[in-house]
Amino acid sequence: MVGWPMCGLASSSLCRDFLAALCLSRGGPGEIIRSTDPIDFIPRPAPVAHVREAYGLVITGESMVPEYKPGETALINPLLPVMGGEVHVFYSDLQGEARATIKHLRRATATEWLVTQHNPPKGKPKDFSLSRKEWHTAHRVFGKHARL
């Protein structure tokens, strides 16, 4: 599994005061490929002041508009429990790359994540499921950083 982003500079003020915003590129419809290399650092919000594992993902697609728009940064705390009724970033590994998709989790079963997207790509449903075997990890989104 591709490692989750951590600052790696725990004693520096950069890591204490800012979150890494990670570089993304398009994967498939509604999917992104996440790099472990930050493209920017954004001010660390109070809810994750002491959560070293927290990070941001710059939104590139439109499947979650109007809640999350391209260019905005989803703020993620991977230590929060998975909860229905909340937005999560779901991860899958494909040939050593972390693939991700951001969706609203309706509920989870033992085998599936039942998710919703606000603005599905043409021909795709608004509600669908992700296999938990393939999409093995869910990180909860707790807010967003507006684009400038």
Side-chain angles (χ1 to χ4, degrees):
M1 175 164 47
V2 174
W4 305 120
M6 287 193 267
C7 187
L9 305 168
S11 62
S12 79
S13 63
L14 181 64
C15 189
R16 282 192 315 270
D17 300 336
F18 294 89
L19 287 180
L22 299 176
C23 181
L24 304 173
S25 61
R26 291 234 180 214
E31 296 177 19
I32 54 178
I33 297 172
R34 181 189 58 82
S35 167
T36 55
D37 300 323
I39 59 168
D40 199 2
F41 290 89
I42 58 175
R44 183 176 290 273
V48 291
H50 303 289
V51 181
R52 185 171 175 240
E53 296 85 355
Y55 61 100
L57 281 177
V58 178
I59 303 299
T60 57
E62 296 184 356
S63 70
M64 289 297 286
V65 170
E67 190 172 5
Y68 292 93
K69 299 174 187 158
E72 293 179 334
T73 302
L75 304 175
I76 297 147
N77 181 346
L79 303 182
L80 291 175
V82 172
M83 291 178 61
E86 298 292 334
V87 174
H88 292 73
V89 176
F90 298 91
Y91 284 100
S92 172
D93 293 324
L94 183 64
Q95 299 174 351
E97 293 181 316
R99 299 177 70 78
T101 190
I102 182 170
K103 303 293 178 228
H104 183 272
L105 177 64
R106 295 188 323 274
R107 67 184 180 94
T109 70
T111 60
E112 296 179 313
W113 306 109
L114 301 172
V115 298
T116 297
Q117 53 190 341
H118 299 304
N119 194 25
K122 187 173 182 164
K124 299 290 183 180
K126 183 176 179 177
D127 296 328
F128 62 101
S129 64
L130 298 170
S131 164
R132 288 183 73 162
K133 185 175 181 179
E134 180 182 353
W135 296 90
H136 50 75
T137 302
H139 287 174
R140 201 157 101 203
V141 177
F142 69 90
K144 66 181 173 182
H145 184 77
R147 61 185 171 194
L148 300 175

